[in-house]
């Protein structure tokens, strides 16, 4: 590709008041209004006192402004300025400046973040009724729980502290804040966020996990799942009695990694030599210890009682995956490494192992959010960062729902892909005969998908059938 003309320094000006850079915000925010997101915010989020006069006024408009900015890819308060450029204020009302939105976020307290968490849960139910964002939930549903450490820098971040994280397969200490996240997914639907809590970086991964799991189970059931077909998955940070007891009280199934201790090692040693069954995974996976790719292993199971002899004893299946230690391939006898998980699933041992390993799907949600609003924790005020984290989850679910009403490929596309193809599409506003029209680029590579979203938002299939 080469330039056709010689350009002069004064040949580019920012002077078009009818040009917008993110025309996809129109159908996506229309979907938000159809699913009553502004009404939910108005009903749930209330400020009784303000530290700065009028800073918390009109929370609906300010929250929707932040979500709109996040939908375009904003990952800091300053980036929210994008929603005020060009003709955006001719398409949307109550568009606030970043400085105003920053003051608004600093008005949040812990109680306000819990109100916002309620909005997240109720809006996911509304999206489920309006779109196929959780298609197939009545057949099988999965709840995954995990945490991550988001690094922060400087000394002004409230709650920031040193916590453990893994980088290049090595445990390191890093200063940051730690969101704890639960997601809901199905066999055919990508994961959406059921709940998120921001914690100090030094917080243990499992702190607060039992109540988070209970809330996620209740939300999944309200969305159409049955507890008999609901599986909760997690790594060793969540494989302890309180979390498992919360799952059992709800009548659901669990699948959690267990930390190896003497009791677990004794159970592994008691597995007969002829009980091991080869299993080949649908795709190769990275060995967590060596960083090398593997695609096969052997699995076996044995009954195991957690906390035997106590009032919290739980008996279920201990399924163990073993792989050859690649550091000892020249030994006369194979040297194995064992990876146990505890489950009451009724699947076969090989199917249960494959299903459990699909817990890694929650990492795709983390990748989407880190590539978007969770790239930074923008404020020094801890509750403001809590609110920002939850608003990022709201934007993620809304974008995911928009993808589901385009086509199956976009229903599972990455957030960055949806922003590039659907949201951040430039357009010019025109008003022939007083009728507002958006003119978009000709030969746009994704114009069919963009128009599909537009049609399904403003003329959904049930309305089309009624008109016919």
């Amino acid at each position: 590709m080469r330039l056709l003309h010689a350009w002069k320094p004064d040949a580019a000006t920012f002077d078009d008041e009818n040009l917008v850079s993110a025309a996809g915000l129109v159908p996506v925010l229309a979907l938000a209004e159809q699913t009553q997101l502004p009404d939910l915010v108005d009903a749930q989020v209330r400020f009784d006192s303000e530290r700065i006069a009028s800073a918390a006024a009109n929370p609906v408009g300010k929250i929707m402004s932040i979500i709109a900015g996040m939908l375009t890819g904003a990952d800091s308060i300053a980036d929210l300025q994008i929603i005020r450029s060009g003709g955006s204020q001719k398409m949307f009302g109550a568009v606030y400046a970043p400085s105003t939105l920053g003051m608004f976020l600093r008005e949040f307290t812990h109680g306000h973040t819990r109100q916002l968490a309620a909005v997240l849960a109720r809006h996911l139910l509304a999206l489920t009724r309006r779109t196929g964002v959780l298609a197939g939930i009545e057949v099988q549903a999965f709840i995954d729980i995990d945490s991550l450490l988001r690094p922060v820098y400087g000394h002004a971040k409230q709650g920031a502290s040193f916590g453990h994280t893994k980088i290049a397969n090595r445990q390191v200490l890093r200063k940051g804040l730690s969101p704890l996240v639960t997601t809901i997914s199905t066999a055919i639907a990508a994961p959406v966020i059921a709940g998120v809590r921001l914690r100090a970086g030094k917080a243990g991964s499992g702190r607060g996990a039992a109540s988070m799991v209970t809330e996620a189970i209740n939300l999944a059931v309200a969305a159409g799942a049955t507890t008999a077909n609901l599986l909760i998955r997690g790594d060793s940070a969540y494989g302890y009695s309180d979390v498992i007891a919360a799952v059992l009280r709800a009548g659901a199934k669990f699948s959690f990694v267990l930390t190896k201790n003497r009791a677990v090692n004794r159970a592994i040693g008691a597995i007969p030599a002829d009980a091991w069954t080869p299993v080949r995974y649908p795709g190769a996976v990275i060995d967590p210890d060596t960083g090398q790719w593997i695609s096969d292993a052997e699995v076996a199971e044995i009954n195991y009682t957690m906390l035997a002899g106590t009032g919290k004893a739980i008996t279920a299946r201990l399924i163990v995956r073993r792989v050859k230690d690649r550091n000892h391939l020249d030994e006369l006898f194979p040297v194995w490494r064992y990876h146990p998980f505890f489950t009451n699933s009724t699947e076969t041992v090989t199917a249960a192992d494959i299903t459990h390993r699909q817990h890694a799907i929650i990492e795709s949600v983390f990748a989407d959010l880190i590539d978007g609003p969770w790239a930074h924790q923008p404020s020094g005020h801890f509750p403001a960062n809590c609110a920002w984290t939850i608003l990022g989850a709201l934007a993620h679910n809304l974008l995911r729902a928009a993808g589901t009403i385009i086509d199956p490929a976009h229903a599972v596309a990455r957030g960055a892909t949806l922003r590039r193809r659907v949201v951040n599409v430039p357009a010019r506003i025109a008003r022939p005969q007083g009728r507002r029209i958006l003119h978009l680029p000709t030969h746009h590579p994704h114009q069919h998908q963009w128009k599909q979203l537009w049609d399904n938002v403003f003329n959904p299939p049930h309305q089309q059938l009624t008109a016919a």
Side-chain angles (χ1 to χ4, degrees):
M1 181 182 292
R2 299 183 63 182
L3 289 172
L4 290 177
H5 309 284
W7 293 92
K8 296 182 179 180
D10 59 352
T13 60
F14 288 85
D15 60 357
D16 197 328
E17 296 182 352
N18 292 316
L19 189 65
V20 294
S21 59
L25 283 177
V26 176
V28 177
L29 291 183
L31 177 62
E33 293 184 3
Q34 290 175 4
T35 50
Q36 286 84 47
L37 178 55
D39 297 334
L40 289 171
V41 172
D42 186 47
Q44 295 292 327
V45 181
R46 297 296 179 88
F47 291 87
D48 296 327
S49 61
E50 302 171 352
R51 291 180 296 176
I52 300 177
S54 76
N58 190 18
V60 176
K62 292 173 181 176
I63 284 174
M64 294 304 298
S65 292
I66 296 172
I67 291 174
M70 289 176 168
L71 289 170
T72 67
D75 60 18
S76 66
I77 294 174
D79 283 352
L80 298 175
Q81 181 67 28
I82 190 66
I83 62 174
R84 292 167 58 85
S85 62
S88 295
Q89 296 188 72
K90 296 182 180 181
M91 296 193 302
F92 308 107
V95 181
Y96 287 90
S99 58
T100 302
L101 298 176
M103 288 191 295
F104 168 68
L105 287 172
R106 287 188 288 274
E107 292 293 328
F108 272 80
T109 64
H110 172 71
H112 294 123
T113 61
R114 295 303 296 157
Q115 294 171 359
L116 207 54
V119 173
L120 175 65
R122 286 168 171 77
H123 188 240
L124 180 56
L125 293 178
L127 289 174
T128 303
R129 291 189 291 267
R130 173 63 176 81
T131 70
V133 71
L134 283 177
I137 192 171
E138 68 282 353
V139 177
Q140 176 72 72
F142 305 98
I143 292 176
D144 294 289
I145 183 169
D146 206 349
S147 65
L148 69 160
L149 187 70
R150 295 304 302 135
V152 300
Y153 307 95
H155 304 285
K157 298 283 186 181
Q158 292 181 355
S161 54
F162 284 92
H164 288 276
T165 187
K166 183 176 283 189
I167 300 177
N169 291 315
R170 294 186 178 183
Q171 288 284 348
V172 297
L173 274 175
R174 200 171 190 184
K175 186 178 182 181
L177 296 170
S178 176
L180 178 62
V181 181
T182 53
T183 65
I184 304 175
S185 61
T186 73
I188 58 176
V192 290
I193 298 175
V196 56
R197 293 180 189 171
L198 189 65
R199 308 167 305 166
K202 65 182 179 181
S205 294
R207 194 182 78 181
S211 60
M212 284 280 286
V213 164
T214 300
E215 291 174 5
I217 292 173
N218 294 336
L219 182 59
V221 171
T226 58
T227 54
N229 294 324
L230 189 58
L231 179 68
I232 291 79
R233 302 179 295 200
D235 59 26
S236 59
Y238 312 99
Y240 63 95
S241 60
D242 288 351
V243 176
I244 296 175
V247 176
L248 293 175
R249 282 195 300 270
K253 294 182 172 60
F254 61 84
S255 183
F256 292 108
V257 175
L258 289 186
T259 301
K260 284 188 287 186
N261 53 33
R262 284 181 293 179
V264 172
N265 289 334
R266 282 197 302 269
I268 294 173
I271 298 176
D274 60 354
W276 296 95
T277 303
V279 56
R280 180 169 290 275
Y281 301 108
V285 296
I286 291 181
D287 188 300
D289 294 328
T290 66
Q292 295 178 329
W293 291 94
I294 60 173
S295 60
D296 54 9
E298 293 181 350
V299 293
E301 68 171 295
I302 191 171
N303 283 340
Y304 175 73
T305 300
M306 173 186 283
L307 300 176
T310 70
K312 296 183 177 181
I314 300 171
T315 300
R317 304 161 70 191
L318 182 69
I319 297 181
V320 184
R321 174 177 57 89
R322 71 177 186 180
V323 295
K324 290 182 179 179
D325 191 333
R326 295 180 180 272
N327 296 320
H328 300 86
L329 293 178
D330 296 330
E331 301 292 335
L332 180 61
F333 297 101
V335 177
W336 301 94
R337 289 183 292 103
Y338 299 91
H339 305 276
F341 66 94
F342 195 47
T343 181
N344 61 348
S345 166
T346 57
E347 292 183 300
T348 64
V349 62
T350 55
D353 180 59
I354 292 173
T355 299
H356 172 78
R357 290 184 63 80
Q358 290 170 348
H359 161 69
I361 196 173
I362 195 172
E363 299 294 341
S364 67
V365 177
F366 291 164
D368 270 355
L369 290 163
I370 292 171
D371 194 28
W374 286 10
H376 304 99
Q377 297 293 336
S379 177
H381 190 52
F382 182 75
N385 287 327
C386 293
W388 181 271
T389 302
I390 298 171
L391 291 173
L394 277 162
H396 172 85
N397 289 352
L398 185 57
L399 196 58
R400 176 63 58 210
T404 64
I405 61 177
I406 298 175
D407 57 34
H410 287 80
V412 295
R414 294 183 66 245
T417 300
L418 293 170
R419 286 192 292 271
R420 183 177 64 254
R421 294 182 179 181
V422 176
V423 178
N424 295 327
V425 180
R428 185 184 299 278
I429 305 172
R431 291 177 292 275
Q433 292 84 43
R435 188 165 65 96
R436 201 173 298 270
I437 293 178
L438 290 176
H439 291 283
L440 293 95
T442 59
H443 309 300
H444 191 277
H446 306 291
Q447 65 182 34
H448 173 74
Q449 290 84 1
W450 198 96
K451 195 62 168 62
Q452 183 79 3
L453 171 63
W454 184 276
D455 292 342
N456 285 336
V457 167
F458 292 107
N459 189 24
H462 69 275
Q463 292 184 6
Q464 295 170 2
L465 292 174
T466 302

